[in-house]
Amino acid sequence: MSLLIVAYMAGVLTILSPCILPVLPFVFARAGRPFVSSTLPMLGGMAMTFAAVATLAAVGGRWAIHVNEYGRYAAIALLALFGVTLISSRAASFLTAPIVSLGNRLLNAGGRPGEGEPSGKSLVLGVATGLLWAPCAGPVLGLVLTGAALQGANAQTSLLLLSYSAGAATSLAVALFIGGRVFAAMKQSLGVGEWVRRGLGVAVLTGVGAIAWGLDTGVLARLSISSTTTIEQLLLDRFKSGTAASSGKVAANSMSLAADDARQGFRSGLPVEGHFPALDGAVEWLNSPPLTREQLRGKVVLIDFWTYSCINCIRTVPYVRAWAEKYKEQGLVVIGVHSPEFAFEKNVDNVKQAVKDFKIDYPVAIDNDFKIWRAFQNSYWPAHYFIDAKGQVRHHHFGEGDYLKSEKVVQDLLAEAGRDEAKKTTVRPDVSGAEAAPDFANIRSSETYIGYQRASNFISPEGLKADVAENYSKAKPNLNEWGLTGVWTVGPDRGTLNQPGGSVTYRFSARDLHLVLGPSANGDPVRFQVTIDGKPPGESHGADVDRYGIGTVKQTRLYQLVRQKGEVLERTFEVRFLDAGVEAFVFTFG
């Protein structure tokens, strides 16, 4: 029940997200209409559509992605027509006559002859708006979909999604109520109702234009990361801490520890978030025999959840590695918990090679079955949990960054444990390639999956075909659109090239472009060549290609293919494979 409330509150906060902006004109266009027959059906249609589309995404399936893709096109067309009807009364009469006629027949059949716009039209508009609104989601939705992916979609998943969408519909209803009062005052005092209606029509068409150009899931969606994600993250943190506090055992131990701290001299002020969960369930340990929490009693422990092809994890590795080296003599034990996102990351040999490549010498638990992940109730890559010498979780951090605070936590916990010699300086890792910090100021492209379960913005004329070989033809992408050429078979999480000469094209704007690639199924290397705007990259080549764009896929991992020198501009990237069999998984940017 608590998580349902959190999901609902996160949905309410969606109104603060800039990627909702193109949707608001469709809601405000309902101002001044009867709530039961107009507003309520529209909001209900939005909520139901969002929950349905998101549930399909959670369950997966080859046809789910097409429902969302073609539904989006239909919604754009429908809402464009709606905008025209607001601007022109003549167009409204012509275009809506069939809908009004059908609605009146339905109402008359039910014994309730209606006047004006039928609720059926509002419901249809709500369904269309919901298809456009579905991409505006934050960490709560990510948590639900991650849980569905790890444990399988179930009734709870759908309830959480419905709670999220109901919260968003609630906030939009409030906005509509306020907007309705404003519009009513404007009509009464100024007598410009017709111009208000036309203004709404212009706003609707402007919103449709923004959506058609991809602003709702592109620029505005990226803006929403900085506005609502932080608030939703706080809700999630509060839920997790509240769950821990609801356990009588944890509460009792916390009181005892507080008394111990008072006697021994408490210094850090870090709260107790819960017990150190068990480390049982790893299929194998690297760089160490299996460790238990009992063995680690008296040590300060940093648990780092990561997976080796995740760009955010890769960028945190230099810091975690530096902390492990710097503080190991003072009593810090770093444990990397490798929980795979893709199937190839479950291959222990792949993980061993990654550990070697990243020069990781601290213990790594291979958590292929996500048992440690679930014990910590974790939901993110990367995630850091800081555990004191008494076996209590004292701090956590999700995602990359905030390294100074994280290191300060390590120093404080070591000091609490009586390690006053812990060095108070902070590490400054020497990083290069994909490990270098991202250029956030210039990132306008976001993570893009090639497998059909999570693919978006695909533009090859043939459309993305699931689990069948298809000869794709070239198309010219706009920003954040991508396409294939050549014969590919696209599976749930990857695309596989069947014949030499195929390519992947992406129109991006960021300093760095990465692509997770793997060699052929039999392990044969795959040669490739990268171009930027049709030319070799030159000084803008990534760490895994030369200035001519030449490279080879020898193992399944993240490859840095572009690092723009000088001014970061919008570019068209293409990678052409000279051999068959390559597997392409996901684009990331930095």
Side-chain angles (χ1 to χ4, degrees):
M1 178 60 71
S2 297
L3 191 54
L4 288 174
I5 295 173
V6 171
Y8 177 83
M9 292 304 299
V12 171
L13 292 171
T14 306
I15 192 69
L16 302 177
S17 172
C19 75
I20 286 294
L21 292 178
V23 175
L24 291 180
F26 313 137
V27 179
F28 286 131
R30 304 288 92 198
R33 312 263 178 147
F35 179 81
V36 173
S37 64
S38 180
T39 304
L40 186 60
M42 179 179 181
L43 294 175
M46 289 172 62
M48 289 187 297
T49 302
F50 177 80
V53 171
T55 299
L56 288 174
V59 174
R62 66 186 62 184
W63 54 276
I65 184 67
H66 298 300
V67 170
N68 197 17
E69 178 183 355
Y70 297 123
R72 181 180 177 84
Y73 297 149
I76 289 174
L78 176 63
L79 291 169
L81 289 176
F82 177 55
V84 170
T85 64
L86 289 173
I87 293 176
S88 169
S89 299
R90 182 174 298 178
S93 300
F94 176 77
L95 292 173
T96 63
I99 299 176
V100 173
S101 177
L102 176 60
N104 284 330
R105 284 201 300 270
L106 291 173
L107 291 173
N108 290 332
R112 296 177 58 193
E115 295 181 0
E117 183 183 84
S119 59
K121 180 183 176 184
S122 293
L123 180 64
V124 171
L125 288 171
V127 170
T129 307
L131 287 168
L132 300 171
W133 170 57
C136 292
V140 170
L141 183 59
L143 172 65
V144 175
L145 296 183
T146 298
L150 298 179
Q151 301 179 5
N154 48 43
Q156 184 183 17
T157 298
S158 294
L159 284 174
L160 289 171
L161 292 167
L162 190 58
S163 296
Y164 188 97
S165 59
T170 299
S171 62
L172 291 172
V174 172
L176 177 59
F177 176 76
I178 297 173
R181 293 290 182 89
V182 173
F183 291 156
M186 290 174 62
K187 291 179 181 180
Q188 185 175 5
S189 62
L190 301 178
V192 291
E194 182 68 18
W195 288 104
V196 169
R197 185 172 63 82
R198 291 178 180 177
L200 285 171
V202 172
V204 168
L205 291 179
T206 301
V208 169
I211 291 164
W213 281 97
L215 293 179
D216 60 323
T217 55
V219 174
L220 293 173
R222 283 191 294 279
L223 287 174
S224 71
I225 292 174
S226 62
S227 59
T228 59
T229 298
T230 301
I231 304 175
E232 292 182 17
Q233 181 65 66
L234 291 174
L235 281 172
L236 284 174
D237 291 346
R238 179 61 60 86
F239 167 73
K240 287 190 173 183
S241 62
T243 302
S246 67
S247 168
K249 185 176 181 182
V250 172
N253 286 340
S254 297
M255 292 175 62
S256 175
L257 285 166
D260 289 343
D261 287 330
R263 289 191 296 268
Q264 297 175 12
F266 182 83
R267 285 185 284 182
S268 72
L270 293 168
V272 175
E273 298 183 355
H275 276 298
F276 185 180
L279 296 174
D280 302 333
V283 300
E284 189 171 337
W285 284 75
L286 307 180
N287 298 334
S288 168
L291 298 175
T292 67
R293 58 186 173 184
E294 290 74 23
Q295 291 174 306
L296 296 167
R297 189 81 172 182
K299 300 283 189 180
V300 174
V301 180
L302 168 57
I303 301 293
D304 172 28
F305 283 94
W306 71 299
T307 185
Y308 81 82
S309 75
C310 161
I311 183 58
N312 309 95
C313 301
I314 291 171
R315 291 194 287 243
T316 64
V317 164
Y319 290 88
V320 177
R321 189 174 57 214
W323 296 333
E325 177 63 27
K326 179 179 177 181
Y327 298 107
K328 65 181 178 182
E329 297 300 327
Q330 282 76 46
L332 175 68
V333 176
V334 173
I335 299 175
V337 179
H338 188 274
S339 304
E341 179 181 11
F342 295 105
F344 67 81
E345 292 173 315
K346 292 186 176 182
N347 186 314
V348 176
D349 289 335
N350 288 348
V351 181
K352 288 180 178 178
Q353 183 61 50
V355 167
K356 180 180 177 181
D357 291 342
F358 291 133
K359 298 180 175 60
I360 294 173
D361 56 10
Y362 50 81
V364 175
I366 308 297
D367 188 31
N368 282 354
D369 299 323
F370 287 85
K371 291 184 178 180
I372 303 176
W373 176 286
R374 287 193 290 269
F376 276 80
Q377 299 182 26
N378 186 51
S379 303
Y380 302 95
W381 293 283
H384 297 147
Y385 294 87
F386 300 81
I387 300 161
D388 66 19
K390 298 169 186 166
Q392 299 292 316
V393 179
R394 300 291 297 281
H395 183 68
H396 69 271
H397 181 263
F398 300 139
E400 59 184 295
D402 213 6
Y403 301 116
L404 291 177
K405 181 178 180 180
S406 294
E407 187 168 3
K408 180 66 165 54
V409 169
V410 170
Q411 293 172 349
D412 286 350
L413 294 182
L414 289 172
E416 275 189 28
R419 303 290 185 173
D420 291 328
E421 70 274 21
K423 298 177 181 178
K424 299 304 181 181
T425 58
T426 55
V427 300
R428 295 181 179 273
D430 183 16
V431 295
S432 61
E435 292 184 348
D439 181 10
F440 284 119
N442 288 302
I443 296 178
R444 297 172 58 209
S445 297
S446 58
E447 188 174 53
T448 302
Y449 289 87
I450 291 177
Y452 62 75
Q453 278 189 341
R454 290 186 279 182
S456 60
N457 298 331
F458 181 73
I459 60 159
S460 291
E462 296 75 16
L464 201 60
K465 303 298 175 61
D467 296 320
V468 296
E470 176 69 28
N471 189 4
Y472 293 97
S473 54
K474 198 165 187 175
K476 186 177 180 180
N478 293 315
L479 181 61
N480 297 327
E481 293 180 336
W482 66 283
L484 301 172
T485 61
V487 181
W488 292 79
T489 298
V490 179
D493 66 346
R494 75 194 72 183
T496 303
L497 179 62
N498 300 325
Q499 298 177 4
S503 69
V504 186
T505 303
Y506 195 111
R507 182 74 173 173
F508 78 103
S509 183
R511 184 194 66 192
D512 303 337
L513 179 146
H514 314 103
L515 182 56
V516 176
L517 298 168
S520 62
N522 59 13
D524 290 341
V526 176
R527 299 165 298 158
F528 64 85
Q529 183 172 18
V530 166
T531 59
I532 302 175
D533 294 335
K535 302 175 182 178
E539 293 300 316
S540 292
H541 69 89
D544 291 301
V545 297
D546 61 21
R547 61 179 295 106
Y548 303 104
I550 303 298
T552 304
V553 179
K554 296 181 179 179
Q555 61 192 84
T556 307
R557 62 175 177 85
L558 180 142
Y559 289 78
Q560 186 185 76
L561 303 179
V562 175
R563 166 157 287 183
Q564 291 198 58
K565 297 294 183 182
E567 185 181 4
V568 175
L569 301 173
E570 184 177 319
R571 306 284 196 185
T572 297
F573 160 88
E574 183 175 20
V575 54
R576 183 169 299 278
F577 300 98
L578 308 182
D579 306 298
V582 74
E583 296 180 329
F585 293 85
V586 58
F587 284 96
T588 59
F589 303 89

